[in-house]
Amino acid sequence: MSPRRSYDQYCSAARALDAVGDRWTLLIVRELLAGPRRYTDLHADLPGVSTDVLASRLKDMERDGLTTRRRMPPPGAVYVYELTVRGRELLPVLQALGEWGAPLLAERRPTDAVRAHWFALPLLRALEGFGEGVVQVRLGEGEFYVHVGDGGGGGPVYGEGPAPVTPDARLSLDTETCTLLGRGELTLLDAIRAHRVAVAGEGPLAKALREP
């Protein structure tokens, strides 16, 4: 296991960066907010990370109490990584970083990879105040779902593909609209009114989203 590197400063920000300031660490947290993930799944959704670096970061995160590794019961019987309570507390940190970095998404570079679920956290922020529940989202790049409010109940914040339960609302939109929402240049209600976001569902959350 790699030795701990430290700024050696008696400062809470410096100590936090000792734990999560290494390259890839916070992006691993982003992926694990979707729930337990296999090593191969993490590697697939972190394009550009080497196998050695990913393995090293996961060991460091486990040592620092951010993640745990456990074996799934049969028939899967594979090892998965998941966030601890301490690791899940990084959600607002990632959301704040995403909000700060959103203006930098003005232009998508030809070399930029993209995954549909990378839009989950900014969209989750846009859904604040509309109630609680599961929202299924369809983008051109794929589908994901988010748990709005306390809907996650301490479980995954979002997930790839179809939701495991009947969603309380369904949203269909394009990537450009989702990017504008994340950058704060468009509110979700304004996007719905402009027919840039289609809302389906009859639950309270869907009805709140359709209010004029």
PDB file of all heavy atoms in Angstrom, residues 5 17 19-28 46-50 53-54 56-58 60-61:
ATOM      1  N   ARG A   5       0.527  10.519   1.630  1.00  0.00           N
ATOM      2  CA  ARG A   5       1.153  11.802   1.363  1.00  0.00           C
ATOM      3  C   ARG A   5       0.361  12.879   2.082  1.00  0.00           C
ATOM      4  O   ARG A   5      -0.860  12.805   2.182  1.00  0.00           O
ATOM      5  CB  ARG A   5       1.190  12.087  -0.135  1.00  0.00           C
ATOM      6  CG  ARG A   5       2.100  11.140  -0.907  1.00  0.00           C
ATOM      7  CD  ARG A   5       2.201  11.510  -2.355  1.00  0.00           C
ATOM      8  NE  ARG A   5       0.913  11.372  -3.026  1.00  0.00           N
ATOM      9  CZ  ARG A   5       0.701  11.697  -4.304  1.00  0.00           C
ATOM     10  NH1 ARG A   5       1.683  12.199  -5.019  1.00  0.00           N
ATOM     11  NH2 ARG A   5      -0.475  11.527  -4.845  1.00  0.00           N
ATOM     12  N   LEU A  17      -7.770  17.494   1.734  1.00  0.00           N
ATOM     13  CA  LEU A  17      -7.062  17.226   0.488  1.00  0.00           C
ATOM     14  C   LEU A  17      -6.055  16.101   0.634  1.00  0.00           C
ATOM     15  O   LEU A  17      -5.747  15.408  -0.339  1.00  0.00           O
ATOM     16  CB  LEU A  17      -6.373  18.495  -0.013  1.00  0.00           C
ATOM     17  CG  LEU A  17      -7.328  19.572  -0.536  1.00  0.00           C
ATOM     18  CD1 LEU A  17      -6.579  20.869  -0.807  1.00  0.00           C
ATOM     19  CD2 LEU A  17      -8.038  19.089  -1.794  1.00  0.00           C
ATOM     20  N   ALA A  19      -6.768  13.434   2.042  1.00  0.00           N
ATOM     21  CA  ALA A  19      -7.577  12.230   1.833  1.00  0.00           C
ATOM     22  C   ALA A  19      -8.167  12.127   0.436  1.00  0.00           C
ATOM     23  O   ALA A  19      -8.251  11.031  -0.122  1.00  0.00           O
ATOM     24  CB  ALA A  19      -8.708  12.178   2.863  1.00  0.00           C
ATOM     25  N   VAL A  20      -8.603  13.247  -0.150  1.00  0.00           N
ATOM     26  CA  VAL A  20      -9.335  13.156  -1.424  1.00  0.00           C
ATOM     27  C   VAL A  20      -8.730  14.010  -2.532  1.00  0.00           C
ATOM     28  O   VAL A  20      -9.314  14.129  -3.605  1.00  0.00           O
ATOM     29  CB  VAL A  20     -10.822  13.544  -1.236  1.00  0.00           C
ATOM     30  CG1 VAL A  20     -11.494  12.627  -0.237  1.00  0.00           C
ATOM     31  CG2 VAL A  20     -10.976  15.013  -0.827  1.00  0.00           C
ATOM     32  N   GLY A  21      -7.560  14.586  -2.283  1.00  0.00           N
ATOM     33  CA  GLY A  21      -6.983  15.488  -3.274  1.00  0.00           C
ATOM     34  C   GLY A  21      -6.213  14.821  -4.387  1.00  0.00           C
ATOM     35  O   GLY A  21      -5.854  15.477  -5.370  1.00  0.00           O
ATOM     36  N   ASP A  22      -5.959  13.517  -4.279  1.00  0.00           N
ATOM     37  CA  ASP A  22      -5.243  12.835  -5.353  1.00  0.00           C
ATOM     38  C   ASP A  22      -6.106  12.740  -6.602  1.00  0.00           C
ATOM     39  O   ASP A  22      -7.338  12.635  -6.528  1.00  0.00           O
ATOM     40  CB  ASP A  22      -4.826  11.425  -4.922  1.00  0.00           C
ATOM     41  CG  ASP A  22      -3.575  11.420  -4.073  1.00  0.00           C
ATOM     42  OD1 ASP A  22      -2.752  12.348  -4.225  1.00  0.00           O
ATOM     43  OD2 ASP A  22      -3.414  10.496  -3.256  1.00  0.00           O
ATOM     44  N   ARG A  23      -5.441  12.733  -7.751  1.00  0.00           N
ATOM     45  CA  ARG A  23      -6.129  12.588  -9.030  1.00  0.00           C
ATOM     46  C   ARG A  23      -6.957  11.309  -9.038  1.00  0.00           C
ATOM     47  O   ARG A  23      -6.492  10.262  -8.593  1.00  0.00           O
ATOM     48  CB  ARG A  23      -5.083  12.561 -10.150  1.00  0.00           C
ATOM     49  CG  ARG A  23      -5.646  12.486 -11.563  1.00  0.00           C
ATOM     50  CD  ARG A  23      -4.504  12.676 -12.544  1.00  0.00           C
ATOM     51  NE  ARG A  23      -4.865  12.347 -13.915  1.00  0.00           N
ATOM     52  CZ  ARG A  23      -5.490  13.179 -14.754  1.00  0.00           C
ATOM     53  NH1 ARG A  23      -5.812  14.387 -14.347  1.00  0.00           N
ATOM     54  NH2 ARG A  23      -5.780  12.803 -15.986  1.00  0.00           N
ATOM     55  N   TRP A  24      -8.191  11.384  -9.480  1.00  0.00           N
ATOM     56  CA  TRP A  24      -9.166  10.307  -9.643  1.00  0.00           C
ATOM     57  C   TRP A  24      -9.991  10.004  -8.395  1.00  0.00           C
ATOM     58  O   TRP A  24     -11.056   9.411  -8.509  1.00  0.00           O
ATOM     59  CB  TRP A  24      -8.513   8.990 -10.135  1.00  0.00           C
ATOM     60  CG  TRP A  24      -7.888   9.097 -11.478  1.00  0.00           C
ATOM     61  CD1 TRP A  24      -6.555   9.161 -11.767  1.00  0.00           C
ATOM     62  CD2 TRP A  24      -8.575   9.190 -12.734  1.00  0.00           C
ATOM     63  NE1 TRP A  24      -6.356   9.270 -13.117  1.00  0.00           N
ATOM     64  CE2 TRP A  24      -7.582   9.285 -13.741  1.00  0.00           C
ATOM     65  CE3 TRP A  24      -9.915   9.187 -13.107  1.00  0.00           C
ATOM     66  CZ2 TRP A  24      -7.892   9.389 -15.093  1.00  0.00           C
ATOM     67  CZ3 TRP A  24     -10.227   9.285 -14.446  1.00  0.00           C
ATOM     68  CH2 TRP A  24      -9.225   9.384 -15.431  1.00  0.00           C
ATOM     69  N   THR A  25      -9.546  10.410  -7.224  1.00  0.00           N
ATOM     70  CA  THR A  25     -10.256   9.994  -6.018  1.00  0.00           C
ATOM     71  C   THR A  25     -11.705  10.468  -6.002  1.00  0.00           C
ATOM     72  O   THR A  25     -12.630   9.673  -5.770  1.00  0.00           O
ATOM     73  CB  THR A  25      -9.527  10.493  -4.758  1.00  0.00           C
ATOM     74  OG1 THR A  25      -8.211   9.927  -4.731  1.00  0.00           O
ATOM     75  CG2 THR A  25     -10.269  10.081  -3.495  1.00  0.00           C
ATOM     76  N   LEU A  26     -11.936  11.742  -6.244  1.00  0.00           N
ATOM     77  CA  LEU A  26     -13.306  12.254  -6.197  1.00  0.00           C
ATOM     78  C   LEU A  26     -14.161  11.703  -7.341  1.00  0.00           C
ATOM     79  O   LEU A  26     -15.380  11.550  -7.195  1.00  0.00           O
ATOM     80  CB  LEU A  26     -13.311  13.777  -6.214  1.00  0.00           C
ATOM     81  CG  LEU A  26     -12.931  14.438  -4.884  1.00  0.00           C
ATOM     82  CD1 LEU A  26     -12.849  15.955  -5.042  1.00  0.00           C
ATOM     83  CD2 LEU A  26     -13.931  14.076  -3.792  1.00  0.00           C
ATOM     84  N   LEU A  27     -13.539  11.386  -8.461  1.00  0.00           N
ATOM     85  CA  LEU A  27     -14.306  10.790  -9.560  1.00  0.00           C
ATOM     86  C   LEU A  27     -14.695   9.349  -9.232  1.00  0.00           C
ATOM     87  O   LEU A  27     -15.750   8.873  -9.663  1.00  0.00           O
ATOM     88  CB  LEU A  27     -13.512  10.855 -10.863  1.00  0.00           C
ATOM     89  CG  LEU A  27     -13.240  12.265 -11.388  1.00  0.00           C
ATOM     90  CD1 LEU A  27     -12.552  12.206 -12.750  1.00  0.00           C
ATOM     91  CD2 LEU A  27     -14.524  13.087 -11.480  1.00  0.00           C
ATOM     92  N   ILE A  28     -13.876   8.666  -8.458  1.00  0.00           N
ATOM     93  CA  ILE A  28     -14.267   7.335  -7.972  1.00  0.00           C
ATOM     94  C   ILE A  28     -15.460   7.471  -7.037  1.00  0.00           C
ATOM     95  O   ILE A  28     -16.413   6.674  -7.098  1.00  0.00           O
ATOM     96  CB  ILE A  28     -13.077   6.648  -7.264  1.00  0.00           C
ATOM     97  CG1 ILE A  28     -11.954   6.349  -8.268  1.00  0.00           C
ATOM     98  CG2 ILE A  28     -13.535   5.353  -6.586  1.00  0.00           C
ATOM     99  CD1 ILE A  28     -10.664   5.861  -7.621  1.00  0.00           C
ATOM    100  N   LEU A  46     -14.398   5.173 -15.917  1.00  0.00           N
ATOM    101  CA  LEU A  46     -13.373   6.171 -15.626  1.00  0.00           C
ATOM    102  C   LEU A  46     -12.337   6.138 -16.748  1.00  0.00           C
ATOM    103  O   LEU A  46     -11.175   5.780 -16.541  1.00  0.00           O
ATOM    104  CB  LEU A  46     -12.707   5.885 -14.276  1.00  0.00           C
ATOM    105  CG  LEU A  46     -13.586   6.119 -13.042  1.00  0.00           C
ATOM    106  CD1 LEU A  46     -12.946   5.502 -11.807  1.00  0.00           C
ATOM    107  CD2 LEU A  46     -13.830   7.607 -12.831  1.00  0.00           C
ATOM    108  N   PRO A  47     -12.756   6.479 -17.970  1.00  0.00           N
ATOM    109  CA  PRO A  47     -11.827   6.401 -19.099  1.00  0.00           C
ATOM    110  C   PRO A  47     -10.591   7.262 -18.859  1.00  0.00           C
ATOM    111  O   PRO A  47     -10.693   8.414 -18.443  1.00  0.00           O
ATOM    112  CB  PRO A  47     -12.660   6.921 -20.280  1.00  0.00           C
ATOM    113  CG  PRO A  47     -13.800   7.668 -19.667  1.00  0.00           C
ATOM    114  CD  PRO A  47     -14.073   7.020 -18.370  1.00  0.00           C
ATOM    115  N   GLY A  48      -9.442   6.661 -19.090  1.00  0.00           N
ATOM    116  CA  GLY A  48      -8.182   7.370 -18.903  1.00  0.00           C
ATOM    117  C   GLY A  48      -7.406   6.931 -17.691  1.00  0.00           C
ATOM    118  O   GLY A  48      -6.201   7.192 -17.595  1.00  0.00           O
ATOM    119  N   VAL A  49      -8.061   6.268 -16.728  1.00  0.00           N
ATOM    120  CA  VAL A  49      -7.345   5.823 -15.538  1.00  0.00           C
ATOM    121  C   VAL A  49      -6.681   4.482 -15.816  1.00  0.00           C
ATOM    122  O   VAL A  49      -7.263   3.609 -16.469  1.00  0.00           O
ATOM    123  CB  VAL A  49      -8.300   5.706 -14.322  1.00  0.00           C
ATOM    124  CG1 VAL A  49      -9.289   4.572 -14.494  1.00  0.00           C
ATOM    125  CG2 VAL A  49      -7.512   5.528 -13.029  1.00  0.00           C
ATOM    126  N   SER A  50      -5.449   4.334 -15.353  1.00  0.00           N
ATOM    127  CA  SER A  50      -4.767   3.053 -15.532  1.00  0.00           C
ATOM    128  C   SER A  50      -5.231   2.075 -14.462  1.00  0.00           C
ATOM    129  O   SER A  50      -5.734   2.467 -13.407  1.00  0.00           O
ATOM    130  CB  SER A  50      -3.251   3.242 -15.440  1.00  0.00           C
ATOM    131  OG  SER A  50      -2.868   3.543 -14.107  1.00  0.00           O
ATOM    132  N   VAL A  53      -3.285   2.680 -11.157  1.00  0.00           N
ATOM    133  CA  VAL A  53      -3.704   3.866 -10.404  1.00  0.00           C
ATOM    134  C   VAL A  53      -5.057   3.631  -9.752  1.00  0.00           C
ATOM    135  O   VAL A  53      -5.268   3.979  -8.584  1.00  0.00           O
ATOM    136  CB  VAL A  53      -3.751   5.107 -11.323  1.00  0.00           C
ATOM    137  CG1 VAL A  53      -4.464   6.272 -10.627  1.00  0.00           C
ATOM    138  CG2 VAL A  53      -2.337   5.525 -11.719  1.00  0.00           C
ATOM    139  N   LEU A  54      -5.990   3.011 -10.478  1.00  0.00           N
ATOM    140  CA  LEU A  54      -7.303   2.747  -9.910  1.00  0.00           C
ATOM    141  C   LEU A  54      -7.191   1.831  -8.688  1.00  0.00           C
ATOM    142  O   LEU A  54      -7.810   2.096  -7.642  1.00  0.00           O
ATOM    143  CB  LEU A  54      -8.219   2.125 -10.960  1.00  0.00           C
ATOM    144  CG  LEU A  54      -9.633   1.773 -10.484  1.00  0.00           C
ATOM    145  CD1 LEU A  54     -10.344   2.986  -9.905  1.00  0.00           C
ATOM    146  CD2 LEU A  54     -10.446   1.168 -11.631  1.00  0.00           C
ATOM    147  N   SER A  56      -4.631   1.438  -6.750  1.00  0.00           N
ATOM    148  CA  SER A  56      -3.968   2.167  -5.676  1.00  0.00           C
ATOM    149  C   SER A  56      -4.926   3.132  -4.986  1.00  0.00           C
ATOM    150  O   SER A  56      -4.957   3.224  -3.748  1.00  0.00           O
ATOM    151  CB  SER A  56      -2.768   2.938  -6.240  1.00  0.00           C
ATOM    152  OG  SER A  56      -2.161   3.738  -5.245  1.00  0.00           O
ATOM    153  N   ARG A  57      -5.721   3.850  -5.788  1.00  0.00           N
ATOM    154  CA  ARG A  57      -6.673   4.799  -5.202  1.00  0.00           C
ATOM    155  C   ARG A  57      -7.707   4.070  -4.353  1.00  0.00           C
ATOM    156  O   ARG A  57      -8.080   4.532  -3.272  1.00  0.00           O
ATOM    157  CB  ARG A  57      -7.367   5.601  -6.294  1.00  0.00           C
ATOM    158  CG  ARG A  57      -6.487   6.548  -7.045  1.00  0.00           C
ATOM    159  CD  ARG A  57      -5.948   7.679  -6.171  1.00  0.00           C
ATOM    160  NE  ARG A  57      -5.082   8.545  -6.951  1.00  0.00           N
ATOM    161  CZ  ARG A  57      -3.785   8.366  -7.119  1.00  0.00           C
ATOM    162  NH1 ARG A  57      -3.179   7.330  -6.533  1.00  0.00           N
ATOM    163  NH2 ARG A  57      -3.073   9.195  -7.845  1.00  0.00           N
ATOM    164  N   LEU A  58      -8.195   2.933  -4.815  1.00  0.00           N
ATOM    165  CA  LEU A  58      -9.195   2.188  -4.062  1.00  0.00           C
ATOM    166  C   LEU A  58      -8.621   1.701  -2.733  1.00  0.00           C
ATOM    167  O   LEU A  58      -9.307   1.725  -1.700  1.00  0.00           O
ATOM    168  CB  LEU A  58      -9.717   1.015  -4.888  1.00  0.00           C
ATOM    169  CG  LEU A  58     -10.645   1.403  -6.045  1.00  0.00           C
ATOM    170  CD1 LEU A  58     -10.864   0.215  -6.972  1.00  0.00           C
ATOM    171  CD2 LEU A  58     -11.988   1.922  -5.519  1.00  0.00           C
ATOM    172  N   ASP A  60      -6.178   3.184  -1.075  1.00  0.00           N
ATOM    173  CA  ASP A  60      -6.031   4.374  -0.232  1.00  0.00           C
ATOM    174  C   ASP A  60      -7.381   4.794   0.354  1.00  0.00           C
ATOM    175  O   ASP A  60      -7.465   5.175   1.528  1.00  0.00           O
ATOM    176  CB  ASP A  60      -5.454   5.536  -1.049  1.00  0.00           C
ATOM    177  CG  ASP A  60      -4.000   5.326  -1.436  1.00  0.00           C
ATOM    178  OD1 ASP A  60      -3.351   4.444  -0.832  1.00  0.00           O
ATOM    179  OD2 ASP A  60      -3.524   6.038  -2.346  1.00  0.00           O
ATOM    180  N   MET A  61      -8.424   4.731  -0.455  1.00  0.00           N
ATOM    181  CA  MET A  61      -9.746   5.153   0.007  1.00  0.00           C
ATOM    182  C   MET A  61     -10.285   4.203   1.078  1.00  0.00           C
ATOM    183  O   MET A  61     -10.948   4.635   2.020  1.00  0.00           O
ATOM    184  CB  MET A  61     -10.706   5.237  -1.180  1.00  0.00           C
ATOM    185  CG  MET A  61     -10.358   6.368  -2.154  1.00  0.00           C
ATOM    186  SD  MET A  61     -11.309   6.286  -3.697  1.00  0.00           S
ATOM    187  CE  MET A  61     -12.938   6.773  -3.100  1.00  0.00           C
TER     188      MET A  61
END
